[in-house]
């Protein structure tokens, strides 16, 4: 007995799909999308009288009616099977470039990116078929999903809410995915603004480094509606290796700040220890060996080790300025929740001191030079 694929119920067979011209199919689907929504989980009302199906007969006609009367969830599932989602990318820096190149090359998604002076070189993206837009609103007009990968909360709010921002061009039902590190209270505010503009929102901050971004192996911590998360998961999988649904909107950003506090806290502690070891004339190779075989081993040691041993910071390309920003966001969240944050504040001040000394754009491992008193 023939069976129907469970991955796309009622999905059109090739024969049915081929019997409808591309323009007619797109026209019918667009008009179905504009029909009034039914109550959650219920089919949409029949579209008789709303648009003409003249010229469509047999199974093709039947499939259009099935599409038009199905639930939102079922229709989104079908559309994913028959068309490529258009992606907009805002923020093509060290991390964003890796996301973008994997969206194009691995995911095969049509990509529109925002031209910006802070972008990494984008010639490879344009050569792979990406297009460039001059404003966030224009990116949004050309996109079903808009991914933000900007510095932090002020930039997220600006790119979404300004006069020619994303919300000015947001298409009905479009999805905004914020991969930035942000203050959770702001995340709730911008998510509400997106929803009021007719869109949907996920916060999906990332961990790991530009190296893993380029390899399509980021970690993502996602906050938002579970069904929307599942709907977007194929997109996320094109540039991420480990993807966790953390809870409702804002949960991703809360967990990202907790993660970065631990990671940057360990980094500051190790940097102080390395600086002290240098002043105490402890061989750095012996220090690393003792830590690696004892309680100091872990991801942070792996990232800092090349710099401690040979001055190579290429494996930890996260700036002191970004570390200070994230520690500031963490202490703000801790204050908002009434959580103790004395240790966090001391670590924040360590990064602040280095930043004020003029090395704010240096990678985190170079804070060892500052703490050891041998800053260039």
């Amino acid at each position: 007995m023939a069976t129907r694929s469970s991955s796309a119920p009622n999905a059109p067979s090739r024969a049915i799909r081929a019997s409808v011209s591309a323009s007619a199919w797109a026209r019918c689907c667009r008009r179905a999308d504009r029909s009034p929504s039914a109550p959650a989980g219920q089919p949409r009302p029949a579209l008789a009288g709303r648009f003409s199906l003249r010229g469509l007969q047999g199974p093709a006609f039947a499939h259009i009616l099935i599409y038009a009367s199905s639930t939102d969830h079922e229709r989104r599932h079908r559309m994913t099977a028959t068309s490529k989602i258009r992606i907009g990318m805002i923020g093509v820096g060290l991390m964003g470039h890796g996301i973008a190149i994997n969206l194009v090359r691995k995911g095969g998604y049509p990509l529109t990116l925002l031209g910006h002076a802070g972008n990494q070189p984008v010639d490879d993206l344009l050569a792979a078929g990406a297009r460039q837009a001059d404003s966030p609103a224009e990116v949004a007009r050309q996109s079903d999903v808009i991914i933000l990968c900007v510095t932090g909360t002020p930039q997220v709010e600006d790119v979404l809410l300004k006069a020619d921002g994303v919300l000015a061009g947001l298409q009905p039902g479009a999805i905004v995915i914020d991969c930035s590190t942000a203050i959770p209270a702001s995340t709730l505010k911008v998510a509400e603004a997106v929803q009021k503009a007719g869109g949907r929102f996920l916060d999906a901050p990332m961990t790991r480094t530009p190296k893993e971004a380029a390899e399509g192996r980021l970690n993502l911590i996602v906050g938002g509606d579970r069904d929307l998360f599942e709907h977007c998961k194929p997109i996320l999988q094109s540039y991420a290796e480990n993807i966790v649904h953390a809870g409702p909107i804002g949960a991703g950003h809360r967990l990202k700040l907790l993660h970065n506090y631990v990671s940057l806290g360990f980094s500051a502690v190790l940097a102080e220890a390395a600086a002290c070891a240098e002043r105490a004339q402890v061989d750095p190779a012996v220090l690393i060996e003792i830590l690696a075989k004892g309680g100091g081993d872990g991801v942070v040691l792996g990232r800092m080790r090349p710099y401690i041993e040979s001055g190579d910071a290429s494996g930890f390309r996260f700036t002191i300025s970004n570390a200070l920003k994230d520690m500031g966001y963490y202490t703000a969240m801790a204050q908002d929740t009434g959580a103790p944050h004395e240790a966090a504040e001391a670590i924040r001040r360590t990064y602040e001191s280095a930043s004020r000394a003029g090395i704010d754009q240096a990678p985190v491992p170079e804070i060892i030079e500052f703490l050891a008193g041998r800053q260039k």
Side-chain angles (χ1 to χ4, degrees), residues 272-354:
E272 279 198 356
C276 181
E278 182 177 325
R279 288 177 175 241
Q281 299 182 338
V282 172
D283 185 335
V286 176
L287 171 67
I288 292 296
E289 180 181 4
I290 296 301
L291 291 175
K293 292 179 178 177
D297 198 14
V299 171
V300 170
L301 180 65
R303 289 178 181 170
M304 299 279 279
R305 180 174 187 158
Y307 188 82
I308 295 171
E309 290 181 330
S310 61
D312 177 8
S314 62
F316 197 172
R317 296 167 65 195
F318 192 77
T319 66
I320 290 169
S321 174
N322 277 331
L324 175 59
K325 168 187 65 73
D326 288 2
M327 288 304 307
Y329 287 178
Y330 175 79
T331 54
M333 181 177 75
Q335 288 171 350
D336 288 345
T337 61
H341 52 280
E342 287 82 3
E345 183 57 35
I347 291 165
R348 190 198 66 79
R349 287 196 301 269
T350 298
Y351 288 113
E352 183 179 48
S353 297

Side-chain angles (χ1 to χ4, degrees), residues 199-367:
R200 295 172 284 171
F201 184 89
L202 293 173
D203 51 299
M206 55 204 163
T207 67
R208 292 189 166 172
T209 71
K211 176 179 179 291
E212 287 84 16
E215 295 168 350
R217 297 178 49 246
L218 289 171
N219 297 331
L220 296 181
I221 313 164
V222 186
D225 177 76
R226 166 68 79 169
D227 288 343
L228 182 58
F229 165 74
E230 294 294 343
H231 175 66
C232 293
K233 202 169 183 180
I235 299 171
L236 305 179
Q237 286 172 330
S238 67
Y239 62 88
E241 181 177 42
N242 302 304
I243 306 170
V244 175
H245 182 251
I249 290 172
H253 281 146
R254 292 187 187 98
L255 273 164
K256 171 64 184 292
L257 293 180
L258 288 163
H259 169 277
N260 278 21
Y261 168 45
V262 172
S263 176
L264 293 170
F266 284 1
S267 299
V269 168
L270 179 56
E272 279 198 356
C276 181
E278 182 177 325
R279 288 177 175 241
Q281 299 182 338
V282 172
D283 185 335
V286 176
L287 171 67
I288 292 296
E289 180 181 4
I290 296 301
L291 291 175
K293 292 179 178 177
D297 198 14
V299 171
V300 170
L301 180 65
R303 289 178 181 170
M304 299 279 279
R305 180 174 187 158
Y307 188 82
I308 295 171
E309 290 181 330
S310 61
D312 177 8
S314 62
F316 197 172
R317 296 167 65 195
F318 192 77
T319 66
I320 290 169
S321 174
N322 277 331
L324 175 59
K325 168 187 65 73
D326 288 2
M327 288 304 307
Y329 287 178
Y330 175 79
T331 54
M333 181 177 75
Q335 288 171 350
D336 288 345
T337 61
H341 52 280
E342 287 82 3
E345 183 57 35
I347 291 165
R348 190 198 66 79
R349 287 196 301 269
T350 298
Y351 288 113
E352 183 179 48
S353 297
S355 183
R356 286 181 175 175
I359 58 170
D360 54 309
Q361 295 307 307
V364 165
E366 290 189 20
I367 200 172

Side-chain angles (χ1 to χ4, degrees), residues 24-34 64 67 75 79:
W25 177 261
R27 185 168 62 253
C28 292
C29 291
R30 284 197 301 271
R31 291 172 179 172
D33 283 335
R34 290 200 294 268
I64 294 293
Y67 178 90
R75 291 173 60 250
M79 284 299 291

Side-chain angles (χ1 to χ4, degrees), residues 37-278:
S37 296
Q42 297 299 316
R44 288 176 178 244
L47 299 183
R50 295 188 184 277
F51 58 91
S52 172
L53 294 175
R54 187 181 304 156
L56 298 180
Q57 299 178 3
F61 180 85
H63 188 77
I64 294 293
L65 291 182
I66 290 170
Y67 178 90
S69 63
S70 58
T71 66
D72 286 343
H73 177 75
E74 291 168 339
R75 291 173 60 250
R76 286 197 299 269
H77 201 130
R78 265 183 223 110
M79 284 299 291
T80 301
T82 58
S83 62
K84 267 295 181 184
I85 295 170
R86 300 171 303 159
I87 308 291
M89 186 83 202
I90 298 178
V92 190
L94 289 173
M95 300 295 282
H97 186 277
I99 292 174
I101 199 67
N102 280 288
L103 286 168
V104 173
R105 290 182 178 169
K106 188 191 295 185
Y109 292 101
L111 182 70
T112 300
L113 56 92
L114 176 66
H116 191 273
N119 285 348
Q120 292 289 295
V122 297
D123 292 350
D124 55 345
L125 295 170
L126 299 177
R131 296 185 295 175
Q132 199 160 223
D134 294 329
S135 72
E138 186 58 31
V139 171
R141 290 187 190 100
Q142 300 180 34
S143 305
D144 305 303
V145 176
I146 302 99
I147 298 175
L148 310 182
C149 188
V150 296
T151 304
T153 291
Q155 293 77 20
V156 171
E157 293 182 355
D158 178 68
V159 81
L160 285 173
L161 306 177
K162 64 183 178 180
D164 63 345
V166 168
L167 298 192
L170 194 68
Q171 302 301 293
I175 302 164
V176 174
I177 301 176
D178 183 13
C179 291
S180 314
T181 301
I183 298 173
S186 172
T187 302
L188 299 178
K189 180 177 75 172
V190 298
E192 182 179 5
V194 168
Q195 291 164 347
K196 284 183 177 178
R200 295 172 284 171
F201 184 89
L202 293 173
D203 51 299
M206 55 204 163
T207 67
R208 292 189 166 172
T209 71
K211 176 179 179 291
E212 287 84 16
E215 295 168 350
R217 297 178 49 246
L218 289 171
N219 297 331
L220 296 181
I221 313 164
V222 186
D225 177 76
R226 166 68 79 169
D227 288 343
L228 182 58
F229 165 74
E230 294 294 343
H231 175 66
C232 293
K233 202 169 183 180
I235 299 171
L236 305 179
Q237 286 172 330
S238 67
Y239 62 88
E241 181 177 42
N242 302 304
I243 306 170
V244 175
H245 182 251
I249 290 172
H253 281 146
R254 292 187 187 98
L255 273 164
K256 171 64 184 292
L257 293 180
L258 288 163
H259 169 277
N260 278 21
Y261 168 45
V262 172
S263 176
L264 293 170
F266 284 1
S267 299
V269 168
L270 179 56
E272 279 198 356
C276 181
E278 182 177 325

